[in-house]
Amino acid sequence: MTATVGVLALQGDHEAHARSVRALGFAARAVKAPEHLEGVSALLLPGGESSTMLKLIEAEGLREPLRAFCASGQPVLGTCAGAILLARDVSSPAQASLDALDIDVERNAYGRQLESFVTRIDDGEPGFEDLEAVFIRAPAIRRVGESVSVLARHDGQPVLVRAGNVWAATFHPELSSDPRLVRSVLAPLTP
Amino acid sequence: MSESTTPLRLKTGLAEMLKGGVIMDVTNVEQARIAEDAGACAVMALERVPSDIRKDGGVARMARIDIIEAIMGEVSIPVMAKARIGHFAEAQVLQTLGVDYIDESEVLTPADDKNHIDKHAFDVPFVCGCRNLGEALRRIGEGAAMIRTKGEAGSGNIVEAVRHMRQVMSDIKSLTILGEEELMTRAKDLGAPYELVRLVAREGTLPVPNFAAGGVATPADASLMMSLGAQAVFVGSGIFKSQDPPTFASAIVKATTHWDDPARVLEACKTVASAAMEGLDMDKLDPSDMLQTRGW
């Protein structure tokens, strides 16, 4: 049976994630409420506005189910706003988070839209060399916990990190034609 | 002005991030705070909401810079601002100020009665209004990175936004069944760039995100527009001309997220216990007072 990948679809570019999931041969399901997580084998938290998503997560009672999914050992990837949701501590301004990954994140760390950019990652671990990365009003990872490995840096800054099954990128693989990152995250599953 | 080197992907990229969300018109810091607290994915800074522009008359211009700046300082979500149609100097000022998106808007009094802004010359992305596919593709041809329906701003009446969204969607569908040899004549009839017509015929969708605006006043209005194919919703007067802005704002956000789940749209409607903004009957509106006919 084809594995189903859940995409948090409260707000943001979840359709782009769903497209990249389907391109890899998996089924994609929009997750807007706790019951949508049933039968899901991996979870993607998309880009968008983290403050908006947080309010909707609280309103739908999704906070604990999402945390439980991250603790379950199944693959989880947060991109941009999704990385902010996963972090332990969020600044600029401070806001709540799922605390599912031991990193601290500063929102809009590069500035406003005029500072958004597309680049090739200049320092990636094997498998992530020259990864194409789209940064849009991107956050920055300001602290990386001991259990967390940095898989890619750009300009000396960590931009892709992982602790076990939970991955976070400050850029948008879903807006790139480079499938390597999502493929690696979903590698434990069979399409 | 020379061509911007900012890739279209970065400009449409921010619009991708706004999908499934609500962009709220705000005229001061207090309103911006209410909007962000209610879950707006962006705010649009302007001098007066459209229903006041309609009522007060006079020339409507880009908002005062000190107000836009204060709003940019107050919220962490993207801040958009409106420039007059064709007023590239207002747009340059807004780009230099650092707003995240510019709305070249028919809600303001047009500054050029023939030409829109050359949006390719800017690094900041633009959104423009449309009533049909030809108008959408002319704006995209000029460099717009997001399209929205015009609807009838400040009317509190959803009928025009519905008309425009249905027209755009129906125009797109009809393109996809045409033969390649029919596309040039259709491009001529639409008044749209041929290459963009070919692209839409092939893909069956606009090359940039397509949002709804112009008349959204209730949670059900937002759900309706999303159901018709809008990817996000702009709310102008609908929030701050209602009797309870924070409640309306939260309810419209909820209904936009859960637009395809009637039980949750009902929950959103139930939270509202006061009157929506007053609405206008289109038949009683003098054609010369229509904002949607501005733009060419």
Side-chain angles (χ1 to χ4, degrees):
Chain A
M1 210 180 90
T2 308
T4 300
V5 177
V7 183
L8 188 69
L10 296 170
Q11 194 271 320
D13 72 337
H14 53 90
E15 284 171 6
H17 269 294
R19 273 194 300 275
S20 57
V21 162
R22 289 190 194 104
L24 292 172
F26 297 97
R29 183 192 298 162
V31 173
K32 295 187 187 184
E35 62 267 27
H36 301 155
L37 284 168
E38 274 169 40
V40 160
S41 310
L43 180 64
L44 304 180
L45 309 177
E49 284 307 315
S50 59
S51 59
T52 303
M53 292 183 199
L54 259 183
K55 292 189 177 78
L56 293 161
I57 284 171
E58 298 295 346
E60 285 303 313
L62 262 164
R63 185 185 160 78
E64 286 314 314
L66 289 174
R67 280 169 55 84
F69 194 94
C70 293
S72 72
Q74 300 175 94
V76 176
L77 166 67
T79 64
C80 196
I84 298 171
L85 292 178
L86 291 173
R88 169 156 298 168
D89 189 76
V90 179
S91 59
S92 175
Q95 66 184 28
S97 60
L98 298 174
D99 187 12
L101 185 60
D102 188 16
I103 57 171
D104 292 351
V105 169
E106 178 186 345
R107 293 180 62 201
N108 302 328
Y110 295 84
R112 308 192 71 95
Q113 170 63 9
L114 287 172
E115 273 68 53
S116 294
F117 62 103
V118 185
T119 188
R120 294 265 168 196
I121 296 294
D122 60 20
D123 181 12
E125 295 286 307
F128 304 111
E129 305 96 335
D130 299 323
L131 199 65
E132 188 191 50
V134 181
F135 290 87
I136 294 176
R137 288 172 46 98
I141 298 171
R142 293 303 186 205
R143 185 190 60 84
V144 177
E146 273 175 28
S147 61
V148 179
S149 19
V150 177
L151 300 177
R153 294 174 196 275
H154 190 74
D155 276 342
Q157 287 282 334
V159 294
L160 173 62
V161 298
R162 171 186 187 181
N165 62 310
V166 182
W167 303 57
T170 58
F171 54 92
H172 296 281
E174 71 277 16
L175 296 185
S176 161
S177 53
D178 192 331
R180 283 181 288 166
L181 174 51
V182 177
R183 187 187 289 150
S184 302
V185 172
L186 300 181
L189 312 182
T190 40
Chain B
M1 280 186 287
S2 61
E3 184 103 349
S4 155
T5 55
T6 302
L8 181 63
R9 188 154 54 129
L10 275 184
K11 295 180 174 178
T12 57
L14 181 54
E16 292 287 333
M17 299 311 141
L18 302 175
K19 282 184 177 179
V22 182
I23 301 145
M24 302 183 190
D25 277 4
V26 298
T27 59
N28 57 46
V29 168
E30 293 71 27
Q31 292 182 353
R33 171 71 10 240
I34 289 170
E36 187 175 50
D37 287 347
C41 66
V43 291
M44 172 79 70
L46 74 176
E47 202 159 47
R48 292 173 282 171
V49 293
S51 70
D52 284 337
I53 291 174
R54 192 180 284 289
K55 202 165 58 193
D56 301 348
V59 173
R61 311 180 179 93
M62 171 180 78
R64 263 169 47 198
I65 296 302
D66 60 326
I67 294 175
I68 304 174
E69 241 180 339
I71 291 169
M72 288 166 68
E74 176 67 21
V75 296
S76 64
I77 53 179
V79 176
M80 304 185 176
K82 287 184 193 287
R84 282 179 267 180
I85 289 173
H87 206 316
F88 55 85
E90 279 188 350
Q92 285 165 343
V93 167
L94 292 172
Q95 171 171 268
T96 307
L97 181 64
V99 301
D100 296 293
Y101 238 96
I102 295 177
D103 183 4
E104 187 183 17
S105 178
E106 71 282 0
V107 169
L108 305 186
T109 310
D112 188 322
D113 67 353
K114 290 196 171 52
N115 309 294
H116 282 250
I117 295 170
D118 168 21
K119 293 165 277 286
H120 291 295
F122 287 78
D123 295 320
V124 68
F126 279 76
V127 51
C128 289
C130 76
R131 291 172 298 166
N132 52 52
L133 182 62
E135 199 171 7
L137 295 184
R138 287 195 291 281
R139 298 295 83 80
I140 296 168
E142 293 158 358
M146 182 206 298
I147 289 296
R148 57 170 174 77
T149 57
K150 286 179 166 175
E152 187 57 33
S155 69
N157 188 336
I158 200 65
V159 66
E160 296 301 304
V162 168
R163 190 201 312 276
H164 299 159
M165 186 56 77
R166 282 205 184 273
Q167 186 67 49
V168 169
M169 291 305 184
S170 149
D171 289 346
I172 292 174
K173 272 186 238 162
S174 73
L175 268 190
T176 61
I177 56 166
L178 292 183
E180 190 73 19
E181 72 281 6
E182 295 174 285
L183 294 179
M184 181 58 88
T185 299
R186 181 57 69 91
K188 181 183 130 194
D189 294 343
L190 288 170
Y194 174 61
E195 290 304 330
L196 288 175
V197 170
R198 286 187 72 198
L199 182 68
V200 173
R202 198 170 60 234
E203 303 289 333
T205 178
L206 289 179
V208 304
N210 181 19
F211 291 7
V216 176
T218 68
D221 286 349
S223 166
L224 175 64
M225 294 314 298
M226 294 294 283
S227 308
L228 292 175
Q231 294 167 316
V233 173
F234 285 86
V235 186
S237 319
I239 289 168
F240 291 100
K241 286 293 165 186
S242 73
Q243 289 186 2
D244 182 359
T247 301
F248 266 86
S250 298
I252 291 174
V253 168
K254 185 178 171 97
T256 302
T257 291
H258 298 289
W259 59 272
D260 55 350
D261 182 345
R264 283 188 168 77
V265 177
L266 168 63
E267 284 173 20
C269 293
K270 273 185 172 171
T271 62
V272 168
S274 58
M277 71 176 284
E278 264 183 62
L280 291 174
D281 182 349
M282 288 305 140
D283 295 337
K284 307 234 164 64
L285 194 62
D286 191 294
S288 68
D289 289 332
M290 289 233 181
L291 301 175
Q292 61 178 273
T293 52
R294 297 164 163 184
W296 0 100

